[in-house]
């Protein structure tokens, strides 16, 4: 049997027509209006992490707090320059 002469069947998974991308703002895969919940969750996790570390070592808690404050200050400084 010669495989080069044999015609391959069309795949059932192949699209029959070209699919267009959805219009902007109507993509069901993009979660909208979840930014507030995400920020609240991230801030809550950061506070829980600092508290848990502070339970074991105050110096490390102060170092993390200082680094966090310095980071926020520098980000704000560079954003508004």
């Amino acid at each position: 049997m010669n495989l080069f002469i044999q015609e391959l069947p069309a795949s059932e998974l192949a699209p029959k027509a070209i699919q267009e991308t959805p219009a902007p703002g109507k993509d069901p895969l993009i979660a909208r209006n979840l930014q507030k919940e995400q920020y609240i969750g991230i801030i809550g996790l950061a506070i829980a992490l600092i508290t848990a570390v502070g339970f074991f070592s105050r110096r490390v808690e102060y170092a993390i707090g200082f680094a966090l404050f310095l980071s926020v200050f520098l980000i704000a400084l560079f954003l508004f320059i």
Side-chain angles (χ1 to χ4, degrees):
M1 185 163 132
N2 192 352
L3 295 177
F4 294 111
I5 297 174
Q6 191 176 27
E7 192 172 316
L8 297 174
S11 172
E12 294 177 11
L13 299 176
K16 304 291 186 228
I18 297 174
Q19 298 176 354
E20 295 182 12
T21 57
K26 296 185 180 184
D27 193 354
L29 297 177
I30 297 176
R32 305 233 183 253
N33 300 326
L34 290 178
Q35 287 84 13
K36 287 181 185 177
E37 290 85 1
Q38 289 173 349
Y39 288 133
I40 290 170
I42 290 169
I43 291 170
L45 284 174
I47 290 171
L49 176 68
I50 291 172
T51 305
V53 169
F55 180 72
F56 295 109
S57 173
R58 282 279 180 220
R59 291 177 128 183
V60 176
E61 180 184 12
Y62 292 147
I64 291 174
F66 178 72
L68 185 64
F69 173 76
L70 188 62
S71 298
V72 169
F73 176 74
L74 288 175
I75 289 170
L77 179 71
F78 290 130
L79 281 177
F80 295 113
I81 287 183

